[in-house]
Amino acid sequence: MRKSSIRRAGAALAAVTSLALAATACGGTTKEDVKNEGGAAASAGKADPNAATKKGLTVGFLPKQVNNPYFTVADRGGEKALKELGSAYKEVGPSSATDTSGQVSYVNTLTQQQVDAMAVSAQDPGALCTALKQALRGGIKVVTYDSDTKPECRNAFISQASAEDLGRTEVRLLAEQLDYRGEIAILSAAQTATNQNTWIEFMKKELEDPEYKDMKLVKVAYGNDDAQQSFQQTQGLLQEYPKLKGIISPTTVGIKAAAQYLSGSKYKGKVKLTGLGTPNDMRKYVKNGTVEAFELWDPAKLGELAARTAVALASGQITGKEGETFKAGAMGEYTIGANGVIALGKPTVFDAGNIDEFDF
Ligand code: RAM
């Protein structure tokens, strides 16, 4: 009974519907709940859906962390789209996912350089606000992607998938693997990360359901999207909780490091691991029996949608207000949801049966 319901959830997720329209009720990865208002400048000016797409713009990408393969793929997606649109791409950003002040300086740099738009993945929901508001005041369009700031500090947020779906399905994926029983832990990224913290809230909500009464979340650990710290945190979790049965790591850096630790330990195949990873990072651990299933969206599509949204904003086709629609090239038409959230679509669940079909 339980298993079949999970399979259904898995099958629904596996159907990659990247053209899915933004569902206004999807929630996105935003912590704020400012009903029916878009992002910052949604009220400033009116959208002209028929305005020509501007060329020769410059869009700056500012990921959480530049040396993270996930962001390399995402930002390349943005670069490719900008090239196609006749605009320029640049990327700046810190090398650590906990360098919040570094991110603030990069926002200021992009503002001084008078880029037309910036796409930012926020390490912390509030820390960038003052700098982003200054950019907005200077006429720069601001989109967040992957990890949001507060809605009033950007025009729109490109959400990878519904935050609720991501949080709840990760719990379901793990529960199925450990037969709904035992102690579990979460290995997250930075303690301030908007996206991971929102997903974790939904994981906790999912765990309140009576079907998880025999599962207990014993700890949330933070590996800061650093391979070594994430590896050590996994080791620490197993020392502290020798009865641990499963780990959810909703970060591509964390899940890879945890898989690396488990696969070289006596816990391989016994302590279950799921979360968000890239197929290329995780292939080896799926094939050697360390990991059964995990999920992710296509980061390149996320970057592409961020770039296309930035250009649509800078061209005046949208302002970030709920209900506005725009054409995102071959990705199809998107609609802006509540709080200026644009949802990419459904994530994909990867396992031994399909992992070789993906290369990112
Ligand atoms: C890491 C980052 C990123 C997150 C992915 C799943 O690369 O924390 O923000 O979206 O994992």
Side-chain angles (χ1 to χ4, degrees):
M1 167 71 184
R2 281 167 173 171
K3 293 209 165 178
S4 61
S5 69
I6 293 309
R7 282 214 188 88
R8 273 202 309 279
L13 281 169
V16 192
T17 53
S18 56
L19 297 185
L21 293 182
T24 49
C26 78
T29 309
T30 180
K31 282 198 124 182
E32 301 296 308
D33 193 20
V34 189
K35 286 270 173 296
N36 295 327
E37 277 178 23
S43 50
K46 223 175 157 303
D48 175 5
N50 299 318
T53 300
K54 286 191 182 163
K55 288 184 192 253
L57 302 170
T58 299
V59 180
F61 270 68
L62 169 47
K64 274 186 185 173
Q65 193 184 17
V66 282
N67 53 348
N68 175 336
Y70 164 85
F71 284 110
T72 308
V73 177
D75 292 6
R76 266 194 213 134
E79 182 176 19
K80 202 170 147 248
L82 286 167
K83 206 167 173 192
E84 216 180 283
L85 291 165
S87 281
Y89 159 91
K90 67 160 74 175
E91 188 200 50
V92 290
S95 54
S96 153
T98 55
D99 184 7
T100 315
S101 57
Q103 271 210 316
V104 173
S105 313
Y106 282 115
V107 171
N108 292 335
T109 308
L110 290 172
T111 304
Q112 279 151 18
Q113 292 173 346
Q114 295 182 305
V115 293
D116 297 285
M118 58 177 94
V120 181
S121 174
Q123 288 186 2
D124 177 296
L128 297 175
C129 268
T130 308
L132 291 177
K133 279 186 172 165
Q134 202 181 336
L136 288 165
R137 274 198 300 273
I140 296 172
K141 302 300 176 192
V142 176
V143 300
T144 44
Y145 70 113
D146 175 73
S147 185
D148 201 10
T149 178
K150 296 179 183 170
E152 65 270 25
C153 310
R154 46 70 172 160
N155 298 102
F157 169 52
I158 319 305
S159 175
Q160 44 275 75
S162 141
E164 175 155 9
D165 262 8
L166 284 172
R168 290 186 187 274
T169 54
E170 284 170 69
V171 170
R172 284 183 217 144
L173 275 173
L174 186 66
E176 181 184 316
Q177 293 172 29
L178 44 76
D179 218 10
Y180 290 77
R181 227 170 268 285
E183 294 183 349
I184 63 163
I186 294 172
L187 173 67
S188 190
Q191 206 158 354
T192 56
T194 329
N195 51 347
Q196 272 91 9
N197 286 341
T198 313
W199 301 329
I200 291 170
E201 275 174 32
F202 284 112
M203 288 180 203
K204 289 182 177 164
K205 281 199 185 135
E206 178 70 12
L207 284 166
E208 283 168 14
D209 192 290
E211 68 179 333
Y212 304 107
K213 64 179 185 342
D214 298 324
M215 277 170 66
K216 189 175 170 217
L217 175 63
V218 291
K219 185 162 178 168
V220 180
Y222 298 93
N224 293 328
D225 273 346
D226 175 89
Q228 203 181 339
Q229 286 180 46
S230 305
F231 186 93
Q232 284 161 353
Q233 288 293 324
T234 311
Q235 193 171 27
L237 281 172
L238 286 151
Q239 268 159 13
E240 202 179 338
Y241 300 98
K243 289 192 298 192
L244 200 70
K245 288 284 180 294
I247 299 172
I248 300 176
S249 188
T251 126
T252 57
V253 179
I255 195 173
K256 183 184 179 191
Q260 197 186 351
Y261 174 75
L262 291 177
S263 87
S265 77
K266 62 180 180 195
Y267 306 108
K268 179 179 167 189
K270 296 199 179 92
V271 172
K272 306 294 182 184
L273 172 66
T274 192
L276 305 176
T278 70
N280 288 354
D281 277 349
M282 301 303 290
R283 191 172 340 269
K284 162 164 150 200
Y285 304 109
V286 168
K287 301 227 171 187
N288 78 9
T290 307
V291 172
E292 274 177 42
F294 62 97
E295 59 185 327
L296 199 71
W297 50 92
D298 183 344
K301 292 266 180 250
L302 185 70
E304 175 173 354
L305 190 55
R308 292 189 182 277
T309 305
V311 170
L313 281 163
S315 303
Q317 292 159 351
I318 51 172
T319 65
K321 209 162 155 205
E322 182 174 1
E324 290 172 355
T325 59
F326 68 105
K327 277 276 291 163
M331 294 179 78
E333 190 173 78
Y334 279 80
T335 302
I336 302 182
N339 305 325
V341 177
I342 302 169
L344 178 67
K346 294 269 186 202
T348 303
V349 175
F350 307 99
D351 58 21
N354 69 355
I355 196 157
D356 283 337
E357 292 163 28
F358 300 91
D359 182 16
F360 61 81

